[in-house]
């Protein structure tokens, strides 16, 4: 586990992914390592902790993920926005995205792909189902290990709205009192 | 088209769905109409405009959507947060969610399911692929018609983080200048 991070139960990954942030996908296959930006992801199940990602076939990362059957989903915050955009606008065919962006590749515990140390959270993923990859470039991953920073409780994630604009996560409002008890849980413990 | 709304190109639905807001799914089959809340959705393609939704089999709406092969994805804003939570914590088996929540059912143009008039945007959907429904309750819809309010440009959507907490959409920051031209487009026109 990265020194600055704490464990997160994989089934609580939803607390960070369901709000729809831009994420960085890191991957490794053989000698090749890459990072890509991704906004098209979805939580599919709590246990096992499943997340679906649409990784366009035009991305250099597509082949690395498909062949290694692994990746890490990393959660950047608004202080990393320029890095996120640069990564999304360059190709791993021509540049080393860790070195070029001064990002720290940290070892994961359950997969070969590296964690991005600067990100708020890291979700180590193994390919769970590739049945939708040929038709939709849609990978279903199982999150097998998760890490998050100790603070803040609510990270300032960034959410892409197209045309170069991002929405930055705003205030938190609680409506716990309106929920039936059985509808709560799966938070951020 | 609802009087207060303007057309939105279906392939620009990503501007509103990619940021990951909670949405309301309205559905109709025969005499039955329902509404459910949903946070587990993903953009899958621009053209055709495809979106995937994980609709749990325990929801009353699951059967209505599966049998009618249609729905409307409605985008609520923060002023509707209490309504959104009430809808998520009640079942259409026992209540009329339009009447109970004083919501306006407006006719859609391309589907039988009603639009929710109070929502910022409405995406009329037809079932495009049900191959993942049995295994994951994952429906792939095509957005065949889309409507949005004239203003504001950036709606204050709500994003669920678990445990009864919501993140409200915050400030907008542009990084257009850092994008390659081919990476822009598909905004909110």
């Amino acid at each position: 586990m990265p020194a600055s991070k704490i464990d997160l139960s994989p089934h609580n990954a939803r607390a960070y992914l369901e709000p729809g942030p831009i994420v960085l996908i890191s991957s490794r296959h053989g000698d090749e390592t890459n990072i890509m930006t991704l906004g098209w992801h979805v939580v599919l199940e709590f246990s096992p902790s499943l997340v679906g990602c649409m990784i366009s076939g035009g991305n250099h990362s597509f082949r690395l993920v498909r062949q290694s059957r692994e990746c890490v989903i990393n959660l950047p915050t608004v202080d990393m926005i320029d890095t996120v955009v640069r990564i999304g606008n360059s190709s791993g065919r021509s540049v080393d995205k860790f070195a070029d962006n001064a990002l720290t590749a940290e070892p994961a515990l359950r997969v070969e792909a590296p964690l991005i140390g600067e990100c708020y959270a890291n979700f180590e993923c193994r390919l769970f189902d590739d049945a939708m990859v040929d038709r939709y470039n849609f990978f279903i991953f199982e999150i097998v290990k998760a890490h998050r920073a100790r603070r803040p409780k609510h990270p300032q994630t960034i959410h892409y709205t197209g045309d170069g604009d991002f929405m930055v996560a705003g205030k938190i409002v609680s409506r716990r009192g309106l929920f039936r008890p059985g509808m709560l849980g799966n938070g951020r413990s």
Side-chain angles (χ1 to χ4, degrees), chain A residues 172-188:
Chain A
I172 302 294
V173 296
S174 173
R175 283 298 181 277
R176 274 186 78 87
L178 294 179
F179 278 68
R180 285 186 286 133
M183 303 294 281
L184 292 169
N186 293 111
R188 53 193 65 241

Side-chain angles (χ1 to χ4, degrees), chain A residues 7-178:
Chain A
D7 273 345
L8 173 72
S9 300
H11 67 267
N12 287 336
R14 77 87 67 95
Y16 302 99
L17 296 178
E18 179 171 341
I22 285 287
V23 297
L24 296 173
I25 304 287
S26 50
S27 56
R28 175 172 292 166
H29 181 63
D31 292 340
E32 281 188 279
T33 299
N34 200 23
I35 311 174
M36 67 171 286
T37 58
L38 183 88
W40 292 9
H41 56 79
V42 60
V43 180
L44 291 172
E45 184 57 273
F46 289 120
S47 183
S49 179
L50 300 183
V51 57
C53 295
M54 188 286 192
I55 299 177
S56 172
N59 283 289
H60 187 57
S61 294
F62 179 91
R63 185 175 57 78
L64 301 189
V65 171
R66 188 159 208 187
Q67 293 184 341
S68 67
R69 302 179 70 82
E70 293 181 348
C71 72
V72 178
I73 299 173
N74 304 272
L75 184 65
T77 43
V78 65
D79 53 298
M80 297 176 68
I81 188 169
D82 289 354
T83 299
V84 167
V85 176
R86 273 196 303 268
I87 288 171
N89 282 270
S90 59
S91 172
R93 285 185 190 82
S94 49
V95 299
D96 175 336
K97 293 196 185 182
F98 274 96
D100 270 30
N101 294 288
L103 293 173
T104 310
E106 294 180 343
L109 293 179
R110 305 280 303 274
V111 301
E112 296 297 319
L115 314 177
I116 302 175
E118 288 76 6
C119 285
Y120 176 89
N122 316 96
F123 307 101
E124 303 184 22
C125 294
R126 293 210 182 113
L127 186 57
F128 184 82
D129 191 335
D130 63 1
M132 298 298 263
V133 173
D134 283 338
R135 187 151 184 200
Y136 296 103
N137 294 332
F138 188 67
F139 295 76
I140 298 178
F141 296 111
E142 179 180 358
I143 298 173
V144 293
K145 185 73 189 168
H147 320 266
R148 73 167 176 89
R150 286 182 185 276
R151 63 187 71 85
K153 181 178 176 190
H154 293 280
Q156 276 209 293
T157 48
I158 55 176
H159 301 249
Y160 192 53
T161 74
D163 267 346
D165 289 341
F166 293 83
M167 178 272 282
V168 182
K171 67 180 178 185
I172 302 294
V173 296
S174 173
R175 283 298 181 277
R176 274 186 78 87
L178 294 179

